[in-house]
Amino acid sequence: MTATEHETIFTYGAPALKYGTGASDEIGYDLTQYGAHRVLVVTDPQVAATGWPRRIADGIAGYGIETEIFDGVHVEPTDVSMQKAVDFARGTGPYDAFVAIGGGSAIDTAKAANLLTSNDGELMDYVNAPVGGGRAPDRPLKPLVAVPTTTGTGSESTTVCVLDVLSLRVKSGISHLRLRPTLAVVDPRLTVSQPAGVTAASGMDILCHAAESYTAKPYTEFERKRPEQRVPYCGSNPLADMFAEQSLRLLSWALPGAVRDGEDLKAREAMALAATFAGLGFGNAGVHIPHANAYPIAGQVRDFHPDGYPGEEPMVPHGMAVSLTAPAAFRFTFDAAPDRHLRVARLLAPDFEWPGDFADHLPAVLIDLMRQIGIPDGIGAVGYTESDVDSLVEGTLKQQRLLATAPREASADDLSGILRESVSLW
């Protein structure tokens, strides 16, 4: 390939951002700036129980805006649970704006409801190929205000919504620029009620967002695209790198601090900012192998019940699923970008006692942190054995949108090796 055939352009997009203590009290005013008169608030039962969605809805109503609350979001949403939200929005609408209050599950569910009340078709029409039809929306979506109550998913910044397709036992998503929220309102007060287990899992999601985007295939190494071929994940680039580095600096002390003491407001504020920075980075650069592996790890779970999450159904929370193969994945990708992997390790743990092999530096840092904050010891600790690896590899290979961003191409055999190495981490 000649130099002229390589990509020379990177793209960057982000929602408007309002950050800081008390920011959620101003959402009613913000919605008036979008001309909203009737708004659907989307949340889950656990977040609804904190009182924040009602408080925010009442604040919105104070600006003369009619509000309806849907509190039926399923944590780790499925095609079935998202359809319930879509049906509710269609049945009680029309709405001219949406407000999502919760973690990535609530924000992603609101994205789906917004998409399917603004455009024709059904959910699976829009799910990424080859799982779904990969259809792009024909019409613009309504304004979406995303209010994260967990620090991690980054969904308030991204163009993606993620779901489990139950009939296929696979996790997939919908990805399009029009799904990006209009405004992200990050109020650290809303994260204080987050249990330690949720803080740990979602914190590892932040970390992997930043580390994967920073080590992603550079945008200059992709083949040149035509304008209509451009996708949100364009590869590592100078702007995304800046956000990733700052996120990692904050996480180095804030993640263990917030898990250790959930009332530590300084750590909570730093986590919220780290999550925001990571989202602004990976929402454009992309993520790669750890996230691709996470989809089948979460989608094929049998009987694992994590601390701090609803106990009715087995689940591997997304951030936890991402982290479980991250040490082995970064060991595999090290040779493609040694300096970047070492930079991530040093930002996370500047005073670490480094092992002799440079390729082991980042994996060692990750394993040490995971042990500190109570992440399970590999995929074996959430119910998988080596006999499950082939099925997990099959699920990972369906995530080509993510694998395309890896700095080193991963074959089925490579992925099998990463997963086998991840059965137990220490």
Side-chain angles (χ1 to χ4, degrees):
M1 182 183 292
T2 65
T4 56
E5 293 176 304
H6 280 94
E7 186 57 82
T8 60
I9 295 169
F10 73 87
T11 56
Y12 188 83
L17 172 65
K18 180 171 284 191
Y19 170 89
T21 299
S24 61
D25 295 334
E26 300 183 3
I27 292 171
Y29 170 80
D30 297 325
L31 287 165
T32 66
Q33 305 307 294
Y34 302 127
H37 300 286
R38 193 160 190 270
V39 172
L40 180 61
V41 174
V42 179
T43 190
D44 67 58
Q46 290 74 34
V47 173
T50 69
W52 279 109
R54 172 49 60 191
R55 172 175 170 168
I56 291 170
D58 289 346
I60 294 169
Y63 282 83
I65 299 171
E66 183 181 347
T67 61
E68 186 79 41
I69 296 178
F70 174 79
D71 62 3
V73 168
H74 187 279
V75 176
E76 301 295 334
T78 68
D79 52 339
V80 173
S81 74
M82 281 190 171
Q83 189 61 51
K84 289 179 181 177
V86 170
D87 292 343
F88 183 91
R90 285 173 169 171
T92 59
Y95 297 99
D96 45 26
F98 292 79
V99 177
I101 305 170
S105 298
I107 298 170
D108 286 1
T109 299
K111 289 176 181 177
N114 193 2
L115 170 67
L116 288 166
T117 54
S118 303
N119 286 266
D120 298 329
E122 300 304 326
L123 191 65
M124 290 303 294
D125 296 337
Y126 295 92
V127 170
N128 296 327
V131 177
R135 175 178 166 183
D138 299 317
R139 293 191 287 274
L141 277 61
K142 301 295 193 299
L144 168 59
V145 178
V147 190
T149 61
T150 62
T151 44
T153 70
S155 185
E156 70 275 7
S157 299
T158 71
T159 61
V160 178
C161 81
V162 177
L163 68 155
D164 284 302
V165 181
L166 293 179
S167 61
L168 301 177
R169 296 193 73 221
V170 67
K171 191 178 282 279
S172 188
I174 301 171
S175 177
H176 193 274
L177 290 170
R178 287 180 174 171
L179 266 64
R180 195 189 310 275
T182 313
L183 171 65
V185 176
V186 182
D187 187 337
R189 295 178 303 172
L190 276 65
T191 70
V192 171
S193 61
Q194 188 174 269
V198 178
T199 301
S202 58
M204 289 305 298
D205 200 17
I206 306 173
L207 190 158
C208 289
H209 286 154
E212 288 174 60
S213 67
Y214 195 72
T215 58
K217 183 177 178 178
Y219 78 95
T220 52
E221 292 184 10
F222 287 88
E223 291 186 14
R224 189 174 185 88
K225 296 179 177 66
R226 298 190 302 274
E228 69 275 12
Q229 294 175 317
R230 299 201 180 280
V231 293
Y233 284 1
C234 65
S236 62
N237 61 78
L239 203 53
D241 290 349
M242 176 181 68
F243 286 116
E245 288 191 341
Q246 186 59 21
S247 178
L248 293 165
R249 285 191 189 94
L250 290 168
L251 288 171
S252 67
W253 62 270
L255 176 51
V259 173
R260 185 168 52 246
D261 178 7
E263 300 293 326
D264 183 341
L265 292 181
K266 183 177 180 183
R268 287 293 193 190
E269 288 176 357
M271 286 283 287
L273 201 55
T276 301
F277 285 153
L280 294 171
F282 94 88
N284 296 275
V287 288
H288 53 84
I289 294 172
H291 268 75
N293 286 336
Y295 282 10
I297 290 169
Q300 297 178 31
V301 62
R302 290 187 284 265
D303 56 11
F304 181 73
H305 294 269
D307 292 338
Y309 288 84
E312 302 83 23
E313 300 174 14
M315 64 180 293
V316 182
H318 174 67
M320 181 184 292
V322 170
S323 70
L324 295 177
T325 66
F330 286 122
R331 191 176 288 110
F332 170 78
T333 57
F334 176 81
D335 288 342
D339 290 347
R340 284 183 171 255
H341 286 70
L342 294 173
R343 175 71 168 155
V344 171
R346 280 151 183 73
L347 286 168
L348 285 171
D351 300 321
F352 197 76
E353 188 173 329
W354 303 108
D357 188 340
F358 285 157
D360 286 331
H361 286 201
L362 180 52
V365 166
L366 294 177
I367 289 170
D368 181 68
L369 177 59
M370 291 163 71
R371 295 182 75 169
Q372 282 186 57
I373 64 176
I375 297 294
D377 178 13
I379 62 173
V382 299
Y384 294 104
T385 68
E386 290 207 8
S387 65
D388 297 308
V389 165
D390 289 347
S391 177
L392 293 172
V393 168
E394 183 181 354
T396 299
L397 288 171
K398 292 178 180 177
Q399 315 306 324
Q400 290 299 317
R401 178 180 62 87
L402 306 183
L403 293 174
T405 317
R408 179 181 172 190
E409 185 175 348
S411 67
D413 286 344
D414 294 326
L415 294 170
S416 177
I418 290 168
L419 286 156
R420 290 180 194 281
E421 191 178 328
S422 302
V423 172
S424 178
L425 299 175
W426 56 81

